[in-house]
Structures are given as C-alpha cells and as structure tokens.
Amino acid sequence: MKRHRRIKSNPVQLAIMRKYILEEVASMYRTASLHAYMGDNEPLAVNIIGRLAYIVCHAGERLGFGRTPEASIIAGMASALGDMGEHVATLQSQRGALIAGLAAIDRLLPKLTPDALAEGAMRLNAMLASPHGLSLSDFQVLQNRNLSTNARNG
C-alpha cells in the first residue's frame, strides 16, 4: 500500500503556491475567452476550454456547487465541446454555448478555493496521462456523482 506523505510547508510557501494556481487558472480563462470570442482554431479551443471547464467542474463539485445554474451552463458547454470534438458541430455554431459557459465559469471562480482548483488540475493531469484521456463522459460522471450526493442529502 502506498503511503501519502503530507508535505510540510510554511505559510509563505503555501501562499505562493495558491497565488501560482490562481494565476494559472486566470491565464487559462483569458486564453479560453479569446478562443471562444474570436478564435478560429477549433482543436485548440476545444483543448483549452475543456481543460478549464474540467478543473472548474471538479472544484465546484468538491465544494458543493454542482447543482447551481452555473454548473448546468458549464455542463451544456461541455456538451458543445463534445460535439465539436466529434466534428458534429463547428466552433462558429457553438460559440454562444462556449461564451455562456465561460461567463458561468467567471461567476463560479470567485467561490472556488485554490486547493479545490489544484485538486481539479491534478486530477485532469492524471486523466490526460491515461490512455482514456478526457471526454464528455468525464463531465457526466462529475454531474451524476453530484446528483446522487444531493439526492442522499436532500
């Protein structure tokens, strides 16, 4: 059995790490927004927007924001990205869904903690390193997991 070692850090190191995570997510958001609003490179748009959406969805699910209107809008954006990835739809035809999803991410980001975002980013990196990669079904798993948790609690 593999043991997880807790890394001891001083408050300054933790603050620097949190700042770095927030800066990386903000950079991803800016790049994703540029591609959604005026980009024409569909594979790159699907890649960057999908990565950002997964990180935010994972963090939101972890913190209990999975049943918010923002989460539903992001799920719709993930569906649009899935259609684009399967070449069923084009960037131009899905631009509205992408812009709405990014606006939902913008509203949700201030509510998310750097730790939850970091956990989402690490989970995403693990998924991308696997043979399966990231797909629409991964977003659906997050959404279904949150629905079943809320059903038990509600």
Side-chain angles (χ1 to χ4, degrees):
M1 186 163 100
K2 194 174 187 181
R3 281 190 166 185
H4 295 284
R5 227 175 24 146
R6 185 169 181 90
I7 299 172
K8 293 184 181 181
S9 299
N10 67 38
V12 174
Q13 287 175 319
L14 290 173
I16 291 170
M17 288 175 60
R18 286 186 178 105
K19 183 177 185 294
Y20 174 77
I21 290 164
L22 293 175
E23 286 173 353
E24 284 297 308
V25 170
S27 175
M28 287 178 76
Y29 177 80
R30 282 190 303 274
T31 303
S33 295
L34 285 172
H35 284 286
Y37 281 100
M38 61 182 141
D40 62 353
N41 187 337
E42 193 167 310
L44 188 58
V46 169
N47 186 336
I48 191 72
I49 297 170
R51 287 171 182 252
L52 176 64
Y54 186 82
I55 291 169
V56 170
C57 281
H58 191 280
E61 187 267 337
R62 179 177 173 232
L63 297 174
F65 294 110
R67 293 280 298 203
T68 61
E70 286 80 11
S72 297
I73 294 168
I74 295 168
M77 180 179 69
S79 179
L81 290 169
D83 289 347
M84 290 169 59
E86 295 173 359
H87 304 291
V88 176
T90 64
L91 177 59
Q92 194 62 31
S93 68
Q94 297 298 331
R95 203 173 292 277
L98 300 180
I99 291 170
L102 287 170
I105 286 173
D106 190 42
R107 291 188 302 272
L108 193 56
L109 271 175
K111 300 173 186 175
L112 303 177
T113 65
D115 294 339
L117 291 168
E119 185 180 309
M122 288 187 292
R123 178 71 184 126
L124 173 68
N125 286 338
M127 291 175 76
L128 294 175
S130 74
H132 168 70
L134 178 66
S135 68
L136 180 59
S137 64
D138 297 311
F139 287 95
Q140 292 165 338
V141 165
L142 279 176
Q143 191 174 25
N144 291 339
R145 184 172 31 183
N146 194 41
L147 289 173
S148 66
T149 301
N150 286 333
R152 283 193 305 263
N153 296 337

